[in-house]
Amino acid sequence: MVVEVSGQLVVPDQARGVVLFVHGSGSSSRSPRNRYVAGALNEAGLGTLLFDLLTPEEEADRANVFDIELLAGRLLQATDRVREEPTAAGLPIAYFGASTGAGAALWAAAEPGVEVAAIVSRGGRPDLAGARLADVRAPTLLIVGGHDEQVVELNQEARRHLRCESRLEIVPGATHLFEEPGALERVAGLAGDWFTGRL
């Protein structure tokens, strides 16, 4: 089933790739955190797509927010749509996932035949990709706040199942939303370095 969702695609001149943002539970394409990181990536010469994975009606059902297979399917549809855009045609695709969106990004990237150049997870739940973690081929960076202790453990465990290039970066003093001074800037810097080094 194909549904219409809203999104904003920005592709700078001579972009080296396009990063699709996969937001998590309780968030949307209007998230100031994702918008900040997207702006930093645009300045680094990367295209970005901020979009909603669910319609407003679907978001009203909390079960949909945690339906990783549904979210991954929507992400794959958006990926195909971006590849059709004249400004993005032929550019490598990468994913930036936050919270449950990270699980969806990894699930989608593990799909046979899907080409994803790199993945970054911010305060993500990669464990929600389950058995699919072993099939992820894209280099994956996991960023977690040092005070987000349960999520640190979940990321450490998930990383043990990844067979691709991977790294876990813990931002000291940061909590789940990276609201502390300098924390989100650190996330943007790490993500920018990871993407530009692999696209």
Side-chain angles (χ1 to χ4, degrees), residues 12-76:
D13 290 339
Q14 298 181 322
R16 62 177 77 189
V18 180
V19 179
L20 279 66
F21 278 68
V22 196
H23 60 75
S25 56
S27 186
S28 74
S29 62
R30 298 172 296 282
S31 158
R33 289 176 294 279
N34 282 348
R35 286 185 175 276
Y36 175 84
V37 175
L41 296 181
N42 292 153
E43 290 180 10
L46 296 167
T48 54
L49 174 67
L50 291 166
F51 72 107
D52 291 320
L53 292 158
L54 300 171
T55 65
E57 294 76 24
E58 289 171 333
E59 285 181 350
D61 182 351
R62 286 292 290 171
N64 288 329
V65 176
F66 292 92
D67 187 337
I68 301 303
E69 188 170 0
L70 170 65
L71 300 179
R74 295 287 169 82
L75 174 57
L76 291 171

